[in-house]
Amino acid sequence: MHDHEKAGSHTGAGNSRIPARRPASAPPAQHGLLGLQAAVGNAAVVQMLRGADQAPRDVQRAVEPRTAPAAGAAHEGRGGPVAVQTAPTDGKRKPPPVPNKPDKLSAGQTSAAAEPAQAQSDTPAHGYTLAESASLVFFRADGRSPEVIRQANGMRSRNNTSVATELAMFLEDPIAYARAHVSSPKPTLVSTALDEDCGGYASNDRHLYRIQVSGWHKFAAPPARSKILTKPTVYANSTSLETATAAVIGPVGPTQEMDFIGGIPLAAITGCRRPGESGFSAL
């Protein structure tokens, strides 16, 4: 039995066969795929295996060249050229590239950084701010009778002026405007007081008129560093000093004087105390 296997022969039907000799160029059978790779080269084997759908992936990896392809190289795949990404040499995986942000915003988008912030303020340039509605009572000693006052449609200033123009002059420098009137009464203002004595001007030979404003609006002056720099308060018949048609400023001076710009409207004069009388009667 041992001799039969060694001879490599097989008997049957009186004939014997001698196995054919393998070509010298053929790879040894025991080397298998490695022998084929050594004979024809790595590239050819890789190409053959990648062209066969049934070739296992682990077999393809076994015969692929061990050297990494150059950066940016490409190989032919089933769907055409495929880019090959080279792994970094330090063994760390390179993070995916971050897409560049567009320089310009698309239509309909807005950016808070692209628009400068706008300062919001309810305080106008002159510093006076609307505080509250006001109803005040003033007094004025005057030698004119109620009939003359009604005929003049109120108490007009000696110099006719526009309330808007005079009020604008006041707002430019309220302190200087008020001091100038105390030292030399302005012909564009009509003076009143907060008390019936009217700073000593009321007497038995004068008419004392009561002036009352209702539904007017108080405008507070900006804060001052000292009492000397305190600006007069403004009362007007509008919620805006720029559109007012009647206004009074004060108190001014030690007598608590209140000055109407341009005059006192007839509708604001609500009563009169005639010389020698003790009470007020309707105008």
Side-chain angles (χ1 to χ4, degrees), residues 12-232:
N15 298 324
S16 62
R17 296 181 180 178
I18 298 176
R21 295 176 61 89
R22 297 177 184 269
S25 60
Q30 63 270 21
H31 289 185
L33 186 58
L34 297 178
L36 178 61
Q37 180 179 1
V40 300
N42 289 341
V45 175
V46 171
Q47 186 68 21
M48 292 169 59
L49 291 177
R50 287 180 176 174
D53 293 339
Q54 66 273 20
R57 297 300 299 173
D58 56 347
V59 175
Q60 295 184 29
R61 288 194 298 269
V63 298
E64 287 181 349
R66 296 180 180 276
T67 59
H75 65 79
E76 289 290 332
R78 295 173 58 187
V82 179
V84 177
Q85 297 294 336
T86 305
T89 58
D90 58 359
K92 298 182 181 180
R93 184 178 299 276
K94 183 182 295 184
V98 179
N100 294 331
K101 295 182 180 180
D103 294 335
K104 296 182 179 180
L105 297 173
S106 60
Q109 290 181 321
T110 58
S111 172
E115 298 180 0
Q118 297 182 354
Q120 299 294 330
S121 176
D122 294 332
T123 304
H126 51 67
Y128 279 85
T129 55
L130 181 63
E132 57 191 18
S133 57
S135 295
L136 300 173
V137 177
F138 312 100
F139 299 91
R140 174 178 170 80
D142 198 296
R144 292 172 292 180
S145 65
E147 292 75 21
V148 174
I149 298 298
R150 284 194 295 266
Q151 186 176 2
N153 197 29
M155 298 178 178
R156 310 306 305 173
S157 59
R158 293 194 299 272
N159 288 358
N160 191 21
T161 184
S162 166
V163 174
T165 300
E166 198 71 17
L167 190 56
M169 293 175 58
F170 165 80
L171 293 174
E172 287 182 3
D173 193 341
I175 296 177
Y177 187 96
R179 287 177 178 174
H181 175 63
V182 172
S183 59
S184 178
K186 286 182 175 295
T188 55
L189 299 179
V190 176
S191 300
T192 64
L194 293 174
D195 62 282
E196 295 186 13
D197 185 52
C198 294
Y201 283 92
S203 61
N204 291 332
D205 61 345
R206 290 171 177 258
H207 293 78
L208 183 63
Y209 292 94
R210 184 176 60 196
I211 299 102
Q212 185 173 357
V213 297
S214 298
W216 283 29
H217 302 277
K218 176 182 178 180
F219 291 85
R225 296 189 303 271
S226 67
K227 187 175 181 180
I228 298 176
L229 300 176
T230 300
K231 300 177 182 180

